[in-house]
Amino acid sequence: MEILEEKEEEAQREKLKGLTISDNLQDVDMKVSAKQVCVPSDVPSIDTSQLPSSYKTNSLKEKKLLRVADHFLWQYTHLCPDRKLLFLHPVNECGLEKFVSTTVRPTLLPYPELYQWDGCASFISDYLTMELLKSPIIPPTSLYSPTTILKYQRGNCFDFSVLLCSMLIGASYDAYCVHGYATREMCTLDTTLELCPLLREPQEVPKKGMKKSNKYRVKPPPDMQSKFELQQEAKNKAEIVAARENKEGEEEVMEVEKGKRDPLYGLRVHAWVLVLSGKRDVPKTFFINPFTGSSHSTTDEHFLGIESIWNHRNYWVNMQDCRNGCKNQNASWHSNRSCQKCKSLLLFQRKKEEVDMSFDMPPSWVAPIQITPREFETRYSQGRKVILYKKAKLEKWAPYLNGNGLMKRLTVYADLDCAEVVKVKEWFKNREDMLDMREMNKQTQLTTDYFSPGHLLSLKAHTYTSLEPEAEHTMEFYSEARVDGLQKRVKNAKEMTEYFVGRDDFLHVRHTEFHKGGKKIHLAGTRTEINSQPIVQIKECFYRNLEKPADEDIAECIFLITENTIHLTYHLKDKYITASKKSFYKEAESDRKGKEIFMIPGRCITYQAGSSEKDKNQLHLYKLLQELTKEEKWLKQQVQQSEAEVLNILKIRKNEESAVKLSFSIYDTERNEKRRQQYEAMVETSLHKEIRRNDLDYLAPFLIQIGHPEKMTKAQALCVRDECLADLKHRLIDKVNIIQARFEQLQKMNQWFQKNRNRLSAEEEDDFLTHHSETMSHIHTLELRLDREKQTATQKYLDLEEKLRKDPRLSEHLGHS
């Protein structure tokens, strides 16, 4: 039975292999979103005229390697006649056969992002444009060099993998190119059935085990809710969830059926990268899909089998049965090169009496891989990339391509057809207003802006429906950058709530309620006028101050402005269930005489927790009322300033959004106009200084002595010449004398050290040896400099004498003398 089953499977496999890829089948295979693939029909031809000679010829060692590879292939086909031909030596862009291992060029590029595997994979997937294989079930007949692939920014899965493997090996990873089989979605970069990585929830950290229950703990109160109502509510929720899951289940079934309808399942050729554990502290072996730059487990069901792997040193063939995917092939990739399940091309295991036939891999024929800073920054082909995921679309842009600094946008949809937008997330970079991300909920119409530290007003986040003052605004701040410790402010037309942290007065919440309408008022100490709303109530909450008794430490203070009432609630004392309270009922301002505040009996109600007697100290209450009245006036000003700050923030945000300004590095002279102008001005200034230096008259100090005559006599000309030469001679002699004096001083110092060396202790002798070495070095330097100055002094004198003779102001008198 097993033999019959194997024959039937082999016959079925041969039948699939013999299928001709008709136009209709190609249409089925190539059914991928045009926005994702983005492969134009006019592929540019490769210019080979400027390529190095290693691209066009093979060295003796490479020719020998090709013969070894052919011999290995002959052995392989003889031992495994039912296996497909190996991907060993395809032709390069010049039409010359090159062994695949020599196409790998290990390279470490000078960008910190490319020192890590995820940075390399992300760059390759973004920088290159994917091209499908000409035949989905046959490996390509050519494999271009990584330099050519980078130049034209396009390639198939083998091109992607070789380039990524070159960069990973250069970054010291144990990486290998893999030739195998994968699903249609992976081979064609169809991510429409995958969840966007930005939407995946982070893995929860497992919580520590709960402590054992204590049998002596107080029992919780009995649950008085109706179990029938809870059952009905749970039933209704279950029906809603079931309906939703049924709908999603139908969609999932459609997706699964769509995947199962692939007539070439298990035959589609693909190439990816294998990274082994060990080097660079990689804890576990994994695969990298070069098209997406994402990592996968070696047991991922998208990878259906492996034919061979290679790096820059060797080539291995998988001898295992890959009909069950890669699940049972893990052991071989963790083993040594001489694994029994993986045949090596160059490193054969032979008996001791046999001759060692090992062969060293020739160096790579590929030119050094180089990526300019501009290419690394621009990254995406044509500056933009679009990826479609399940119910989501991700768009990416190069820096500075968009005037508003937009770098990335994620659009989330409610359906698979991507018709109804649920929310939009946008990421920004290089903005002067420090805007980092914007999240827009299309269902609630709420927009939240997130800012990096450094905003003009210490803004951290801003949630709003519109930038008009009448709308509700939630503003979060970097409290450590503010003097008042404000962390959050929620403001609408009726109320405003402010949250504080780290204040000396222990205030943590201030809540203000307003009347409708408003009037223009002038802010104290400023020239600003705002449309302030009438205040109804101000409520402040305080944390516990342990330096005060609990019944003297205010927990809550409420100012009822319209009712002229103040309510105080103190913190609870230990072992008490009620808190002390005080209520003050002030006179209306119209009933007062002047600005005096009177304490009328019965206008103050107090409750002292733990005491039945009323507080009879009226003076204390009177002083407290005075303080609270001043506090109320100050709080009104604070609320008005908060309103003004909200209006100011909204005004600044409107200006920032209407005229977005981007920041540039001082080293980016192409974009930084201010820095470029400064650099040009500096160059121009230095040029003027050089011109001015060249225009200085070397005879000016000597011509001043004779009054700058328009025409000199012969005696004057001779006098100017002699004084100029004498001045140069004195300067040269002084320079030599200074060097000579320093040289003699160091020699005397060295002689003294040599003479008194025997009198030094061990520690002093160590210092002496160090100092002696430095002194001898200085002596040698000065000796060379002294010789050089003596040699050049005569030449300088002769050069000046020749220059004076040719000077037009002196030449008619000096002649050839």
Side-chain angles (χ1 to χ4, degrees), residues 287-310:
F287 291 147
I288 301 177
N289 182 12
F291 283 161
T292 60
S294 56
S295 63
H296 299 265
S297 170
T298 53
T299 59
D300 195 309
E301 295 180 352
H302 287 91
F303 300 96
L304 305 179
I306 294 175
E307 284 286 354
S308 61
I309 67 172
W310 68 91

Side-chain angles (χ1 to χ4, degrees), residues 226-283:
S226 171
K227 294 183 178 179
F228 176 77
E229 291 180 356
L230 292 175
Q231 290 175 355
Q232 292 298 316
E233 185 178 354
K235 185 178 179 181
N236 294 334
K237 288 182 179 180
E239 290 177 356
I240 296 172
V241 172
R244 188 184 303 129
E245 289 180 352
N246 187 25
K247 182 179 178 182
E248 293 179 355
E250 291 177 357
E251 294 177 352
E252 295 289 342
V253 169
M254 292 174 61
E255 294 172 7
V256 172
E257 290 178 353
K258 180 181 176 182
K260 287 182 178 179
R261 286 197 296 267
D262 183 12
L264 300 179
Y265 183 81
L267 297 176
R268 293 181 180 273
V269 174
H270 191 53
W272 62 93
V273 174
L274 165 70
V275 180
L276 293 184
S277 59
K279 285 188 177 181
R280 291 294 304 270
D281 297 329
V282 176

Side-chain angles (χ1 to χ4, degrees), residues 52-71:
S53 59
S54 60
Y55 286 58
K56 304 173 184 178
T57 58
N58 281 326
S59 64
L60 294 176
K61 206 168 186 180
E62 285 180 305
K63 292 177 181 178
K64 183 179 179 181
L65 175 61
L66 292 176
R67 290 196 298 269
V68 172
D70 288 335
H71 181 69

